[in-house]
Amino acid sequence: MQTERAYKYRFYPTPEQEILLARTFGCVRFVWNAVLRYRTDAFYEHKEKIGYNDASIFLTQLKKQPDTAFLAEVSSVPLQQCLRHQQTAFKHFFAKRANYPRFKSKKHRQSATFASSAFSYRNGEIALAKCKEPLNIRWSRELPSAPSTVTVSQDRAGRYFISCLCKVDAESLTITPKMVGIDLGLKDLFVTSDGRRVNNPRHTVRHARKLARAQRQLSRKQKGSNNRAKAKQKVARRHAKIADTRLDHLHKLTRQIVNENQVICAESLTVKNMIKNRSLAKAISDVGWGELVRQLDYKAAWAGRQFVQIDRWYPSSKRCHGCGFVVESLPLNVRTWDCPDCGTQGIDRDINAARNILQAGTALLAGAES
Ligand SMILES: [Zn+2]
């Protein structure tokens, strides 16, 4: 079986490439925002849904108008790709899987996607359309095949990255009889049915201290000064470092879970979102459940493992795994409880939940009524 896989590298643009990239990012952002505005207005004013083709016609008109003719100066491919991305974002929104798409700001991560017609891959080098020189990429590992698309981005710390989408043969792992249920949490990142507790990475605490110092320094600098710009960059670099560490940590964890288990069960994020309240929302986005689930999903698929997401509400915490009795209420601060029905004492809230999730997941797999 072949799957597509992304390979991400850092690269260092020449001053010339930097100008072209900044212009391309600017045009992509402009098109995203203009089309989003067009769609939003059409939806609110005429209850009309704008599809990909209408958006594409709208973009063609923009390029012809004198005040937005600058759009024709960059490769048309990333602009077209940006329409596709927005189409997908709306698809997720209408399927209630995501929030309404947001306007893009200059302050956030910038990106542009180039399909195969807009870049060349020759002698292990990548050159973008309208750029003579190939990109100076720091190849941390080899590409398995010629990429089908590449996405160029710049993070808030000013670093440039290129993500190459390549076809690879899926690595099927040897089948194991092991199965695991995962309860996503806040105090612990997750707890497994076999009793493993995984904390949120501790090392981010050290980074957080450095971030706080950088933020304090920034607040003392005068607005508009050169030193303020430098301090701002420093804060952005700290944020980037924390995000990198967190992502690294998640990759290691998901790799291990997928290697060790044939079947992995978790509650879907739709279910998790139902039980969250507003004060928990930030904590949830901080721990990165979405990224964890995303990684488990694709890594399991590559490895021939099964990742089961339980998509309807199930009393995983309040149900005694031993006898199936469901207690009426179980406040969040209660970490262990005793089952009034079968008399089991000291039931660990999270492990019990993870075991119920595993049971519900395997029942789903078997197609049985649960
Ligand atoms: Zn019981």
Side-chain angles (χ1 to χ4, degrees):
M1 194 181 80
Q2 278 214 322
T3 53
E4 285 208 306
R5 199 164 173 171
Y7 292 78
K8 194 175 174 186
Y9 308 93
R10 195 163 172 189
F11 75 96
Y12 300 87
T14 62
E16 224 175 310
Q17 288 167 343
E18 217 168 306
I19 294 168
L20 187 79
L21 284 173
R23 199 177 289 159
T24 309
F25 292 149
C27 289
V28 167
R29 199 172 60 235
F30 183 90
V31 168
W32 174 280
N33 289 342
V35 176
L36 182 55
R37 165 67 48 222
Y38 172 57
R39 274 202 160 106
T40 307
D41 289 350
F43 188 68
Y44 283 104
E45 284 166 24
H46 324 288
K47 292 275 166 272
E48 196 186 328
K49 273 194 200 173
I50 302 294
Y52 176 77
N53 287 338
D54 297 321
S56 193
I57 292 167
F58 180 72
L59 172 60
T60 312
Q61 285 165 347
L62 277 181
K63 281 187 191 170
K64 282 181 191 154
Q65 283 163 18
D67 48 342
T68 45
F70 59 86
L71 294 174
E73 287 170 22
V74 300
S75 166
S76 63
V77 176
L79 306 184
Q80 211 65 42
Q81 290 288 340
C82 150
L83 296 187
R84 289 211 175 85
H85 288 161
Q86 194 171 102
Q87 189 69 29
T88 312
F90 270 96
K91 203 175 99 194
H92 289 318
F93 167 70
F94 286 121
K96 296 193 162 62
R97 281 192 298 265
N99 289 330
Y100 195 79
R102 285 197 203 174
F103 288 95
K104 289 197 189 298
S105 138
K106 205 177 170 177
K107 285 184 199 154
H108 294 113
R109 179 180 171 269
Q110 307 292 310
S111 73
T113 299
F114 297 77
S116 59
S117 58
F119 71 90
S120 72
Y121 177 67
R122 238 173 264 129
N123 308 325
E125 289 190 312
I126 293 175
L128 300 175
K130 306 207 178 201
C131 265
K132 269 172 276 149
E133 263 180 278
L135 298 175
N136 173 16
I137 298 171
R138 207 169 64 190
W139 297 103
S140 45
R141 57 176 164 168
E142 235 175 287
L143 278 182
S145 57
S148 56
T149 32
V150 301
T151 298
V152 174
S153 63
Q154 185 182 27
D155 71 5
R156 292 181 67 180
R159 303 177 300 177
Y160 290 89
F161 295 96
I162 182 163
S163 176
C164 309
L165 210 57
C166 301
K167 280 214 160 57
V168 287
D169 293 321
E171 23 142 9
S172 253
L173 297 172
T174 341
I175 291 176
T176 148
K178 274 191 77 184
M179 300 189 280
V180 74
I182 291 174
D183 183 40
L184 302 173
L186 290 174
K187 193 169 78 58
D188 296 302
L189 179 59
F190 61 81
V191 174
T192 67
S193 51
D194 36 31
R196 183 170 171 219
R197 279 175 199 282
V198 175
N199 288 324
N200 278 304
R202 285 275 166 264
H203 36 272
T204 55
V205 173
R206 199 189 57 203
H207 287 306
R209 218 178 292 135
K210 286 185 176 170
L211 172 65
R213 195 192 307 145
Q215 275 166 335
R216 268 199 312 277
Q217 281 168 350
L218 171 64
S219 69
R220 286 192 214 108
K221 303 284 185 269
Q222 210 164 13
K223 279 218 170 109
S225 72
N226 231 343
N227 279 335
R228 187 181 165 86
K230 266 188 223 155
K232 218 171 181 177
Q233 188 76 167
K234 212 168 177 179
V235 168
R237 272 206 302 274
R238 286 281 159 226
H239 274 297
K241 190 87 200 160
I242 290 173
D244 285 355
T245 324
R246 192 171 278 152
L247 204 59
D248 211 48
H249 182 66
L250 285 180
H251 273 301
K252 280 186 192 129
L253 290 169
T254 51
R255 167 57 46 214
Q256 196 185 5
I257 292 172
V258 170
N259 281 351
E260 286 174 2
N261 299 282
Q262 189 63 32
V263 175
I264 302 144
C265 309
E267 285 168 309
S268 78
L269 290 181
T270 331
V271 171
K272 286 309 245 188
N273 282 334
M274 276 177 356
I275 50 173
K276 86 180 178 194
N277 62 42
R278 270 173 57 208
S279 65
L280 284 182
K282 173 153 174 19
I284 290 172
S285 72
D286 276 356
V287 287
W289 284 352
E291 181 59 23
L292 183 81
V293 166
R294 192 186 73 83
Q295 288 185 13
L296 283 175
D297 195 27
Y298 78 77
K299 286 184 186 177
W302 286 350
R305 305 293 207 211
Q306 270 173 308
F307 179 50
V308 187
Q309 292 195 66
I310 300 153
D311 217 6
R312 68 193 164 96
W313 190 78
Y314 176 82
S316 54
S317 299
K318 292 191 282 190
R319 179 183 181 273
C320 167
H321 179 68
C323 70
F325 183 78
V326 180
V327 290
E328 228 164 80
S329 83
L330 195 65
L332 267 175
N333 57 355
V334 178
R335 306 314 305 175
T336 58
W337 53 288
D338 303 332
C339 177
D341 203 50
C342 69
T344 311
Q345 293 195 327
I347 300 173
D348 179 285
R349 181 199 181 93
D350 306 318
I351 300 173
N352 178 65
R355 286 185 179 153
N356 280 327
I357 287 166
L358 173 60
Q359 198 177 47
T362 47
L364 256 182
L365 263 190
E369 290 288 304
S370 52

Short mmCIF file of all heavy atoms in Angstrom, two decimals, residues 191-215:
data_model
loop_
_atom_site.label_atom_id
_atom_site.label_comp_id
_atom_site.label_asym_id
_atom_site.label_seq_id
_atom_site.Cartn_x
_atom_site.Cartn_y
_atom_site.Cartn_z
N VAL A 191 -4.04 8.89 30.02
CA VAL A 191 -3.84 7.72 30.87
C VAL A 191 -4.29 6.52 30.06
O VAL A 191 -5.30 6.60 29.34
CB VAL A 191 -4.67 7.86 32.17
CG1 VAL A 191 -4.58 6.58 33.00
CG2 VAL A 191 -4.20 9.05 32.98
N THR A 192 -3.52 5.42 30.10
CA THR A 192 -3.90 4.26 29.29
C THR A 192 -4.58 3.20 30.15
O THR A 192 -4.46 3.20 31.37
CB THR A 192 -2.66 3.63 28.62
OG1 THR A 192 -1.83 3.07 29.64
CG2 THR A 192 -1.88 4.65 27.83
N SER A 193 -5.27 2.28 29.45
CA SER A 193 -5.98 1.21 30.15
C SER A 193 -5.02 0.28 30.87
O SER A 193 -5.42 -0.41 31.80
CB SER A 193 -6.83 0.43 29.15
OG SER A 193 -6.04 0.04 28.04
N ASP A 194 -3.74 0.24 30.47
CA ASP A 194 -2.81 -0.60 31.24
C ASP A 194 -2.12 0.19 32.36
O ASP A 194 -1.13 -0.25 32.93
CB ASP A 194 -1.79 -1.33 30.33
CG ASP A 194 -1.36 -0.53 29.14
OD1 ASP A 194 -1.32 0.72 29.25
OD2 ASP A 194 -1.06 -1.11 28.08
N GLY A 195 -2.67 1.36 32.67
CA GLY A 195 -2.23 2.06 33.87
C GLY A 195 -1.08 3.03 33.69
O GLY A 195 -0.52 3.55 34.65
N ARG A 196 -0.72 3.33 32.44
CA ARG A 196 0.37 4.25 32.21
C ARG A 196 -0.15 5.70 32.23
O ARG A 196 -1.15 6.01 31.59
CB ARG A 196 1.00 3.95 30.85
CG ARG A 196 2.18 4.80 30.55
CD ARG A 196 2.91 4.29 29.31
NE ARG A 196 3.92 5.27 28.95
CZ ARG A 196 4.21 5.61 27.71
NH1 ARG A 196 3.59 5.04 26.71
NH2 ARG A 196 5.13 6.51 27.46
N ARG A 197 0.55 6.54 32.98
CA ARG A 197 0.19 7.95 33.02
C ARG A 197 1.24 8.75 32.28
O ARG A 197 2.42 8.62 32.57
CB ARG A 197 0.17 8.45 34.47
CG ARG A 197 -1.08 8.11 35.18
CD ARG A 197 -0.99 8.52 36.64
NE ARG A 197 -2.02 7.78 37.36
CZ ARG A 197 -3.30 8.11 37.34
NH1 ARG A 197 -3.71 9.18 36.71
NH2 ARG A 197 -4.18 7.36 37.98
N VAL A 198 0.80 9.56 31.35
CA VAL A 198 1.77 10.37 30.61
C VAL A 198 1.53 11.84 30.92
O VAL A 198 0.46 12.37 30.67
CB VAL A 198 1.66 10.11 29.09
CG1 VAL A 198 2.57 11.03 28.32
CG2 VAL A 198 2.00 8.66 28.79
N ASN A 199 2.53 12.45 31.50
CA ASN A 199 2.43 13.86 31.87
C ASN A 199 2.61 14.75 30.67
O ASN A 199 3.17 14.34 29.66
CB ASN A 199 3.54 14.21 32.86
CG ASN A 199 3.27 13.61 34.21
OD1 ASN A 199 2.12 13.52 34.64
ND2 ASN A 199 4.32 13.18 34.87
N ASN A 200 2.17 15.96 30.83
CA ASN A 200 2.57 16.97 29.85
C ASN A 200 4.06 17.20 30.06
O ASN A 200 4.54 17.09 31.18
CB ASN A 200 1.78 18.24 30.08
CG ASN A 200 0.42 18.15 29.44
OD1 ASN A 200 0.32 17.91 28.25
ND2 ASN A 200 -0.61 18.29 30.24
N PRO A 201 4.80 17.50 29.00
CA PRO A 201 6.25 17.58 29.15
C PRO A 201 6.67 18.59 30.22
O PRO A 201 6.21 19.72 30.21
CB PRO A 201 6.74 17.97 27.76
CG PRO A 201 5.54 18.46 27.04
CD PRO A 201 4.37 17.78 27.63
N ARG A 202 7.53 18.15 31.11
CA ARG A 202 8.00 19.01 32.20
C ARG A 202 8.96 20.09 31.69
O ARG A 202 9.00 21.18 32.23
CB ARG A 202 8.71 18.16 33.26
CG ARG A 202 7.77 17.37 34.11
CD ARG A 202 7.26 18.20 35.28
NE ARG A 202 6.10 17.55 35.89
CZ ARG A 202 4.85 17.85 35.61
NH1 ARG A 202 4.57 18.78 34.72
NH2 ARG A 202 3.86 17.24 36.19
N HIS A 203 9.74 19.75 30.67
CA HIS A 203 10.77 20.69 30.21
C HIS A 203 10.17 21.99 29.68
O HIS A 203 10.86 22.97 29.56
CB HIS A 203 11.72 20.06 29.19
CG HIS A 203 11.05 19.11 28.27
ND1 HIS A 203 10.90 17.78 28.56
CD2 HIS A 203 10.49 19.27 27.06
CE1 HIS A 203 10.27 17.17 27.58
NE2 HIS A 203 10.01 18.05 26.66
N THR A 204 8.87 21.98 29.36
CA THR A 204 8.28 23.24 28.89
C THR A 204 8.24 24.27 30.03
O THR A 204 8.16 25.46 29.78
CB THR A 204 6.86 23.07 28.32
OG1 THR A 204 6.07 22.45 29.30
CG2 THR A 204 6.87 22.28 27.04
N VAL A 205 8.31 23.79 31.27
CA VAL A 205 8.32 24.70 32.42
C VAL A 205 9.55 25.61 32.34
O VAL A 205 9.47 26.82 32.54
CB VAL A 205 8.32 23.91 33.76
CG1 VAL A 205 8.49 24.85 34.94
CG2 VAL A 205 7.04 23.12 33.88
N ARG A 206 10.71 25.00 32.02
CA ARG A 206 11.94 25.78 31.91
C ARG A 206 11.83 26.79 30.77
O ARG A 206 12.20 27.95 30.90
CB ARG A 206 13.13 24.82 31.67
CG ARG A 206 14.47 25.44 31.99
CD ARG A 206 15.57 24.52 31.51
NE ARG A 206 15.43 24.27 30.08
CZ ARG A 206 15.93 23.21 29.45
NH1 ARG A 206 16.57 22.28 30.10
NH2 ARG A 206 15.77 23.07 28.14
N HIS A 207 11.27 26.30 29.64
CA HIS A 207 11.09 27.21 28.50
C HIS A 207 10.12 28.33 28.87
O HIS A 207 10.30 29.47 28.46
CB HIS A 207 10.54 26.46 27.29
CG HIS A 207 11.56 25.59 26.65
ND1 HIS A 207 12.78 26.05 26.25
CD2 HIS A 207 11.53 24.27 26.35
CE1 HIS A 207 13.46 25.06 25.72
NE2 HIS A 207 12.73 23.96 25.77
N ALA A 208 9.09 27.97 29.64
CA ALA A 208 8.09 28.96 30.02
C ALA A 208 8.72 30.07 30.87
O ALA A 208 8.36 31.24 30.73
CB ALA A 208 6.96 28.29 30.80
N ARG A 209 9.68 29.70 31.70
CA ARG A 209 10.36 30.70 32.53
C ARG A 209 11.15 31.67 31.63
O ARG A 209 11.11 32.87 31.81
CB ARG A 209 11.30 29.99 33.52
CG ARG A 209 11.32 30.66 34.88
CD ARG A 209 12.22 29.89 35.85
NE ARG A 209 11.67 28.58 36.20
CZ ARG A 209 12.40 27.44 36.24
NH1 ARG A 209 13.67 27.45 35.88
NH2 ARG A 209 11.85 26.31 36.59
N LYS A 210 11.86 31.08 30.65
CA LYS A 210 12.63 31.92 29.73
C LYS A 210 11.71 32.81 28.90
O LYS A 210 12.03 33.96 28.60
CB LYS A 210 13.48 31.05 28.81
CG LYS A 210 14.69 30.45 29.51
CD LYS A 210 15.56 29.70 28.53
CE LYS A 210 16.81 29.19 29.21
NZ LYS A 210 17.55 28.26 28.34
N LEU A 211 10.55 32.25 28.55
CA LEU A 211 9.58 33.02 27.77
C LEU A 211 9.08 34.21 28.59
O LEU A 211 9.01 35.33 28.10
CB LEU A 211 8.39 32.13 27.37
CG LEU A 211 7.20 32.84 26.71
CD1 LEU A 211 7.59 33.42 25.36
CD2 LEU A 211 6.03 31.88 26.53
N ALA A 212 8.79 33.95 29.87
CA ALA A 212 8.30 35.02 30.74
C ALA A 212 9.34 36.14 30.84
O ALA A 212 8.99 37.32 30.80
CB ALA A 212 8.00 34.45 32.13
N ARG A 213 10.64 35.76 30.93
CA ARG A 213 11.69 36.77 31.01
C ARG A 213 11.73 37.59 29.73
O ARG A 213 11.81 38.82 29.76
CB ARG A 213 13.04 36.10 31.27
CG ARG A 213 14.08 37.13 31.73
CD ARG A 213 15.50 36.57 31.71
NE ARG A 213 15.61 35.33 32.45
CZ ARG A 213 16.42 34.31 32.11
NH1 ARG A 213 17.14 34.39 31.01
NH2 ARG A 213 16.49 33.23 32.84
N ALA A 214 11.66 36.90 28.58
CA ALA A 214 11.69 37.60 27.29
C ALA A 214 10.50 38.55 27.17
O ALA A 214 10.64 39.66 26.65
CB ALA A 214 11.69 36.58 26.15
N GLN A 215 9.34 38.12 27.67
CA GLN A 215 8.15 38.98 27.59
C GLN A 215 8.29 40.20 28.48
O GLN A 215 7.86 41.29 28.12
CB GLN A 215 6.91 38.18 27.97
CG GLN A 215 6.34 37.43 26.77
CD GLN A 215 5.33 36.38 27.15
OE1 GLN A 215 5.34 35.87 28.27
NE2 GLN A 215 4.47 36.03 26.22
#
